[in-house]
Structure formats: structure tokens, C-alpha cells
Amino acid sequence: TKYIIMNFDHERVPEITRQIPANKLLVIDWNVNAQEGTSSIHQDFGQALYDSLESGLDLISKYDKFIYLYPSFTYHPKISIKYFEKFCANHQIVYKTLYDFKKFDLQKGELYLLVSDRTLAKFLDQCHQKNLVLGQDVGVISYNETPMKKYVKEGITVISTDFELMGQKIAEFVNTGEKIN
């Protein structure tokens, strides 16, 4: 038997995962609250975000302002805020981190970083309501490739981990039991 847990930031997680033998436990997705000696396969929500944004600096620079919509209902790792703000400061980009989803009001000339498909839906609704052309009037960078996003042909950029590779690594752990990080 192996245990695969998609971890999240909650104070009770360590006390629960400590009940599982470390050699049988694989913590996936988020490197938080993992006990010593536990295998893990996780995303990098800090430097990897910074590097991804840097690779698109020429496209990001065409917008007047870069807004990170980080709604209060998300469990997305907060370290991403630090690296978003660091990226903008290092490249003299006007930016804002918006936490109140209700105050989201799309404006021409702005680029948005979205961590939730719920916020992406509202973003696309506002584009339609305000007759703004995605990729020209406004821009969006969304987390995680999903089947729906392939239908937004013009103007959406996605930052995503390689979930297929993660799945292969998980299968290796289950099949071999070898420690993996």
C-alpha cells in the first residue's frame, strides 16, 4: 500500500501525515507540511513563476499595468505573490496585487495573472461586456492548462506544470517504492 496525498497549507496536515510511514507516503503538488524523509513531487510556485514571466517579458511589457488577481477563496501558494512582485519590481513594471474578487474591474491596457478558472470566467465575461479584444486590448496569463483553455485561441497564455510527467513520476513511486523528490 502507498499513500498519495495532494498537500495543502493547513495546520493539521502534519499531524495526520505523521501517522503514515514515510516510505509509503508521497506528497504531491505543493511542497508544504511534508514530514522529513517523505517522498514528494511538487510544483515550484516561486522561481518557476518568475522564470516563466521573464520568458515572456517582451509581451508583458506591451501592457500599461500587470495585475495579479489573487482572490481570498484560493489556496494557491502565497509565495507566488512574492515572486510576481519581485519580477515586476526588477523590470520596472507597474503592478498591483488584487485580493478582493468583487473589486475586479477589467480595464483596457492591463494584463492579468489569474490563478483560478472562476476568475478566468469573470475575466472573459468582462471582455465580452466591454468589447475588449483579448490579446490586443487586454491580456491574460492563466495558471494550469485545462481542456477549456484550448478554445480561447487568441490572447490567452498559460503557465502550467507538466502534469503528465508528474503522473509518470507518481506511477514510478507506486510501482518501485523508491524515494523520490
Side-chain angles (χ1 to χ4, degrees):
T1 302
K2 302 286 190 293
Y3 299 86
I4 301 167
I5 296 178
M6 182 178 249
N7 208 354
F8 62 101
D9 194 11
H10 189 279
E11 62 195 25
R12 294 207 49 222
V13 170
E15 76 182 66
I16 294 166
T17 59
R18 264 189 248 116
Q19 297 175 37
I20 302 168
N23 66 330
K24 293 182 179 246
L25 175 61
L26 175 64
V27 175
I28 64 168
D29 194 38
W30 193 359
N31 189 25
V32 64
N33 294 327
Q35 63 178 309
E36 192 70 32
T38 300
S39 290
S40 69
I41 299 173
H42 57 271
Q43 300 183 59
D44 177 356
F45 293 96
Q47 189 63 48
L49 170 63
Y50 186 98
D51 295 344
S52 293
L53 295 175
E54 198 155 70
S55 73
L57 181 60
D58 56 330
L59 295 171
I60 291 169
S61 297
K62 78 178 195 174
Y63 293 96
D64 301 326
K65 190 174 190 180
F66 195 4
I67 299 171
Y68 188 176
L69 181 55
Y70 189 92
S72 58
F73 60 78
T74 188
Y75 287 103
H76 193 81
K78 290 182 177 160
I79 193 165
S80 63
I81 297 168
K82 173 184 167 187
Y83 279 85
F84 164 77
E85 292 177 350
K86 178 181 174 181
F87 168 80
C88 291
N90 287 349
H91 295 286
Q92 293 82 45
I93 295 170
V94 176
Y95 69 93
K96 178 180 182 180
T97 303
L98 180 63
Y99 300 95
D100 189 347
F101 182 57
K102 293 174 185 164
K103 291 184 179 177
F104 176 60
D105 183 28
L106 188 64
Q107 298 297 314
K108 186 175 181 173
E110 294 179 342
L111 171 65
Y112 294 83
L113 176 60
L114 308 177
V115 296
S116 162
D117 281 354
R118 210 159 95 188
T119 57
L120 178 60
K122 186 167 183 175
F123 174 90
L124 294 171
D125 284 344
Q126 286 192 24
C127 279
H128 178 73
Q129 292 163 359
K130 296 181 177 192
N131 294 315
L132 297 172
V133 178
L134 188 57
Q136 292 177 18
D137 298 326
V138 293
V140 64
I141 300 172
S142 180
Y143 260 97
N144 295 329
E145 186 66 57
T146 60
M148 176 204 64
K149 292 174 185 167
K150 70 181 176 185
Y151 294 105
V152 184
K153 302 277 189 216
E154 303 297 322
I156 190 170
T157 298
V158 177
I159 295 173
S160 188
T161 201
D162 187 339
F163 292 108
E164 186 174 327
L165 180 59
M166 282 181 82
Q168 290 170 359
K169 297 290 184 184
I170 292 167
E172 285 175 27
F173 173 79
V174 170
N175 287 328
T176 68
E178 291 181 25
K179 185 171 168 61
I180 186 169
N181 284 304

